[in-house]
Amino acid sequence: MRLCVFEATDGPRSGLVLGDEVVDISAAADGSQWPVDILARGPAGVEAIEKAARSAPRISLNAARLKAPLRRPGKILGIGLNYRDHARETGREPPTTQMWFNKQTSALHGPFDPVLMPAVSTALDYEVELVVVIGKYGRHVPRGRAHEIIAGYMTGCDYSVRDWQRATPTMIMGKGFDTHAPVGPWITTPDEAGEVSNMSLKCWVNDDLRQDGNTGEMIFDVPAQIEHLTKAFALEPGDLIFTGTPAGVGAAFTPPKFVKVGDRVRVEVERLGAIEAVITQETSQTRIG
Ligand code: MN
């Protein structure tokens, strides 16, 4: 299944994407619930979606205003240098230990909403990534059981402000700017996503194909990531994992090909769909309250 959240006249609603249509499944959502909450109910949740979809109104996918398909997560985690060719293009050896950082949860952003060029930098870069959506609590989850806590997958872009990222060892300041974690266009459940270790990932800036990789090139695959993370802390429903990016980021070109205001950045993961943003200038105006 492909589960989205779309903006209706009375607020956001959960939807089931069927071909070029979206079926309103808010009747299955039991009040304020989101797709991750419905999926957490297991087979009963799936049944509720199917039942709601039989009689619910449909709208055209083109007309639907899609939002990030989940509420603000408890955590957004990202792994660095997880593709050999990307590690190489940054001039570093492929890591032997998983290197994690957090993106701020407030950076979560809709799949087609404008992404902000920071007021304080012009070194804005793109990273197409497979994003894992956690569906169940998990602690000390061995790789063989990692699939049990995965609700689904999305396409994401790990926007990175390179000068702020590199200014300190933790990278956190450069990875969590507002609007810099767009995801979507919907959550694809594992049965429909297919073989996660063989998905092509692409990023275009305007019509220029910059990244063209495959998830099979990951150094640490998704089960290894879940096993490692849950040795330290719990993963919980709605948490997101950005699983790394292949070669071709703007910073790797000489001179760097950072994105500019007005650029259209499109990222796509095979079978999960594409998301797209126009880069828009942020102002440095003080806002309080
Ligand atoms: Mn990344």
Side-chain angles (χ1 to χ4, degrees):
M1 286 190 294
R2 296 185 293 163
L3 299 173
C4 70
V5 170
F6 65 98
E7 189 68 54
T9 47
D10 58 349
R13 290 177 177 234
S14 291
L16 175 67
V17 179
L18 290 175
D20 57 5
E21 290 183 314
V22 178
V23 189
D24 183 341
I25 56 161
S26 46
D30 204 11
S32 65
Q33 292 193 26
W34 295 73
V36 171
D37 301 314
I38 308 175
L39 291 172
R41 280 150 49 194
V46 172
E47 205 172 292
I49 291 169
E50 285 166 351
K51 185 165 171 244
R54 278 198 288 275
S55 55
R58 298 182 174 210
I59 58 169
S60 126
L61 186 54
N62 281 336
R65 203 177 144 238
L66 298 181
K67 300 168 64 77
L70 70 174
R71 70 161 78 84
R72 188 186 286 193
K75 301 186 241 343
I76 303 180
L77 293 151
I79 187 168
L81 304 179
N82 196 33
Y83 285 72
R84 264 180 203 84
D85 54 352
H86 173 57
R88 212 172 291 129
E89 75 179 355
T90 68
R92 280 174 284 186
E93 287 299 309
T96 53
T97 304
Q98 297 184 29
M99 189 175 73
W100 287 96
F101 57 86
N102 288 84
K103 288 179 81 67
Q104 301 306 315
T105 59
S106 44
L108 186 79
H109 200 53
F112 301 105
D113 293 337
V115 162
L116 292 175
M117 173 67 73
V120 294
S121 175
T122 55
L124 179 60
D125 210 345
Y126 48 83
E127 298 188 351
V128 60
E129 306 205 7
L130 166 68
V131 175
V132 176
V133 184
I134 299 298
K136 281 189 186 151
Y137 177 96
R139 189 75 219 279
H140 294 292
V141 179
R143 61 172 292 126
R145 298 187 63 184
H147 63 277
E148 293 179 37
I149 70 162
I150 296 174
Y153 303 93
M154 298 186 292
T155 298
C157 191
D158 175 17
Y159 282 95
S160 303
V161 182
R162 297 300 188 198
D163 49 353
W164 281 62
Q165 175 189 340
R166 291 170 180 158
T168 58
T170 70
M171 303 199 287
I172 283 179
M173 287 303 291
K175 287 290 194 175
F177 276 65
D178 286 352
T179 76
H180 287 187
V183 292
W186 37 71
I187 296 171
T188 302
T189 52
D191 56 308
E192 189 155 333
E195 193 46 69
V196 172
S197 60
N198 183 18
M199 290 172 148
S200 77
L201 313 94
K202 291 188 169 73
C203 173
W204 293 264
V205 177
N206 303 316
D207 294 321
D208 190 12
L209 178 64
R210 296 283 182 86
Q211 294 182 280
D212 185 3
N214 189 288
T215 54
E217 300 156 14
M218 284 185 191
I219 297 169
F220 303 103
D221 64 9
V222 170
Q225 294 179 25
I226 287 175
E227 180 175 76
H228 185 73
L229 290 167
T230 62
K231 283 177 179 171
F233 45 76
L235 291 174
E236 300 170 299
D239 285 353
L240 300 183
I241 303 175
F242 279 69
T243 61
T245 200
V249 301
F253 291 88
T254 310
K257 291 186 181 180
F258 295 129
V259 297
K260 298 182 185 69
V261 171
D263 280 348
R264 189 170 35 81
V265 179
R266 180 181 178 84
V267 295
E268 181 170 20
V269 179
E270 188 177 3
R271 301 188 293 278
L272 305 185
I275 66 173
E276 188 172 305
V278 173
I279 306 301
T280 307
Q281 184 63 53
E282 182 200 30
T283 71
S284 57
Q285 187 194 357
T286 300
R287 284 165 292 162
I288 296 175

